[in-house]
Amino acid sequence: MTTDNAIVRGRAAVLATPNLDTDQIMPKQFLRGIDKSGLAPGLLYDLRFDGAGQPRADFVLNQPAFAGVDVLIAGANYGCGSSREHAVWGMQQYGFKAVVASSFGEIFYSNALNNRLLLAMLAEDDVQAFVAEAAAQPGPLALTIDVQRRVVRSPGCSAGFVLSDRHQRMFLEGLDVIGVSLSHADQIRAFADQHWAAQPWVKDVARRTRERLSAATGG
């Protein structure tokens, strides 16, 4: 995949199962770490592997022609279920940069966009047109996602997708949710200064309380 923030070009695989929840995207046994690392092996584990841990040859991501795909064309309500952010991190660590579907689980949608995993929400008929085009060829479907114009294109189809102005700005400016907050640093600082000027007794109250407790206990 290539991207200049405004244009994302990738190779897509289809996983059209509806209501694929976050428990399936990232099963619970892979949530043991305390950081974001090492999640790629767990992505869609029960779909990718059988009970003996052997790859399922008929699963699309295990097929040689689809090695290295970085866009997923998914079924409706993708990412429903629990709120685990690991599902988003696992998709990114596996190599996915975007998901195209007609709808997404609400919390997954927010988690994904806040972490810069692009979700393109299209009308169901448009998704099915891309699915049909993908099924008519042996390998991945070439997709271009135009974030500026909010359009998904393939060699044979084109469709608009839904993306809020805030999330569009994040992608165009290369920001995650923390970066968006920091872009308002001057306003945040000005608000804090005004707040503390009006109510000086609340400034650094936690630090001052700790100092008083330490002095009282000799700690």
Side-chain angles (χ1 to χ4, degrees):
M1 166 177 286
T2 60
T3 175
D4 60 2
N5 293 336
I7 302 291
V8 174
R9 295 180 177 87
R11 300 163 63 246
V14 174
L15 183 56
T17 306
N19 304 311
L20 195 65
D21 63 36
T22 52
D23 298 344
Q24 297 176 76
I25 297 171
M26 185 56 59
K28 62 183 182 302
Q29 64 267 33
F30 295 96
L31 309 184
R32 293 172 293 186
I34 60 173
D35 58 16
K36 300 179 182 181
S37 65
L39 294 170
L43 183 73
L44 300 166
Y45 186 86
D46 293 329
L47 297 177
R48 291 166 56 205
F49 301 97
D50 62 22
Q54 297 301 308
R56 300 181 189 272
D58 59 345
F59 186 63
V60 61
L61 298 183
N62 292 336
Q63 297 171 12
F66 289 87
V69 292
D70 45 20
V71 178
L72 188 66
I73 302 174
N77 202 27
Y78 184 82
C80 58
S82 69
S83 63
R84 64 189 67 177
E85 203 166 5
H86 303 72
V88 172
W89 300 333
M91 292 199 69
Q92 292 175 309
Q93 290 173 26
Y94 190 86
F96 284 108
K97 299 296 190 295
V99 184
V100 174
S102 62
S103 57
F104 297 92
E106 184 176 355
I107 299 175
F108 176 84
Y109 187 85
S110 294
N111 284 341
L113 292 171
N114 287 342
N115 283 278
R116 293 186 52 75
L117 174 65
L118 179 60
L119 302 186
M121 187 158 53
L122 282 63
E124 179 63 28
D125 288 347
D126 292 328
V127 174
Q128 291 306 315
F130 287 116
V131 169
E133 184 179 3
Q137 59 183 50
L141 178 66
L143 282 185
T144 298
I145 304 176
D146 187 330
V147 180
Q148 180 71 59
R149 294 178 174 81
R150 302 181 224 202
V151 174
V152 180
R153 299 187 185 91
S154 67
C157 300
S158 178
F161 68 92
V162 175
L163 186 67
S164 72
D165 291 344
R166 178 173 71 90
H167 287 130
Q168 182 190 50
R169 178 200 165 199
M170 287 169 63
F171 275 91
L172 293 177
E173 297 182 12
L175 302 173
D176 61 11
V177 67
I178 295 175
V180 170
S181 297
L182 291 176
S183 71
H184 299 287
D186 290 342
Q187 296 96 309
I188 294 170
R189 190 176 300 109
F191 174 86
D193 290 343
Q194 292 173 4
H195 177 69
W196 288 332
Q199 303 176 93
W201 59 89
V202 301
K203 185 175 183 180
D204 294 333
V205 64
R207 177 185 58 79
R208 289 187 283 110
T209 300
R210 287 196 301 271
E211 290 174 351
R212 286 200 302 269
L213 289 172
S214 295
T217 60

